[in-house]
Amino acid sequence: MTLVKFNSDKRNNGSLMPGFNDVFDSIFNDTFFNDRLTSRVPAANISETEDHFHVELAAPGLKKEDFKLNLDRNVLNISVEQRAENSEEQKNYSKREYSYASWVRSFTLPESANAENIEASYTDGVLKIDIAKREEAKMVRRQIEIK
């Protein structure tokens, strides 16, 4: 679920308590909330060719070591768990932030997928997974004679 802030025209918002919306505006404009209330599950593109199924996930800012891919009963699970701590040596800080992000995407493979032949790569913020098709499932093209 993504929390989306409603932007209304403050001059003409029809509120009976004009300062009420300003309080929420100041809270949700804080970077602390903006970074944590947006969805971190990456978008996926899935395509198919004659020989393979292709899955691409847009996941910038990660390293290939952050990903865990596993296959369990014909379900491909892609997960990330990332922890980051931004701290300084000073003890008298006014703001210190910890970051924790995790997500899982699961895809049920079709029966035509060859679970023994799956390859993955991560380049330029995109995780690419190629799943080969079984030989008997590959599209066979032939000309059909019309009688």
Side-chain angles (χ1 to χ4, degrees), residues 17-78:
M17 297 182 286
F20 186 73
N21 287 339
D22 292 339
V23 170
F24 284 105
D25 285 345
S26 67
I27 290 172
F28 288 110
N29 281 332
D30 189 325
T31 58
F32 176 80
F33 286 103
N34 283 341
D35 289 345
R36 286 152 184 84
L37 295 178
T38 57
S39 175
R40 301 225 186 248
V41 177
N45 292 333
I46 301 172
S47 61
E48 179 180 358
T49 61
E50 288 186 33
D51 299 331
H52 289 83
F53 296 100
H54 304 281
V55 179
E56 295 179 335
L57 278 92
L62 298 172
K63 298 176 284 199
K64 70 178 183 178
E65 296 83 22
D66 294 332
F67 293 95
K68 290 183 183 174
L69 279 73
N70 64 53
L71 189 63
D72 183 20
R73 297 186 188 156
N74 219 33
V75 175
L76 177 65
N77 295 300
I78 306 162

Side-chain angles (χ1 to χ4, degrees), residues 82-99:
Q82 183 183 36
R83 298 172 191 253
E85 182 178 328
N86 184 9
S87 64
E88 296 179 13
E89 292 297 319
Q90 291 180 321
K91 295 288 182 183
N92 296 329
Y93 45 82
S94 60
K95 187 176 184 179
R96 184 174 174 168
E97 294 183 354
Y98 296 94
S99 176

Side-chain angles (χ1 to χ4, degrees), residues 7-24:
N7 279 332
S8 63
D9 184 5
K10 291 183 182 182
R11 295 168 297 173
N12 197 12
N13 64 5
S15 174
L16 297 175
M17 297 182 286
F20 186 73
N21 287 339
D22 292 339
V23 170
F24 284 105

Side-chain angles (χ1 to χ4, degrees), residues 4 12 35 64 75 79 92 94 112 123 129 132 142 144:
V4 179
N12 197 12
D35 289 345
K64 70 178 183 178
V75 175
S79 62
N92 296 329
S94 60
S112 58
T123 308
I129 303 167
R142 63 184 178 99
I144 300 172

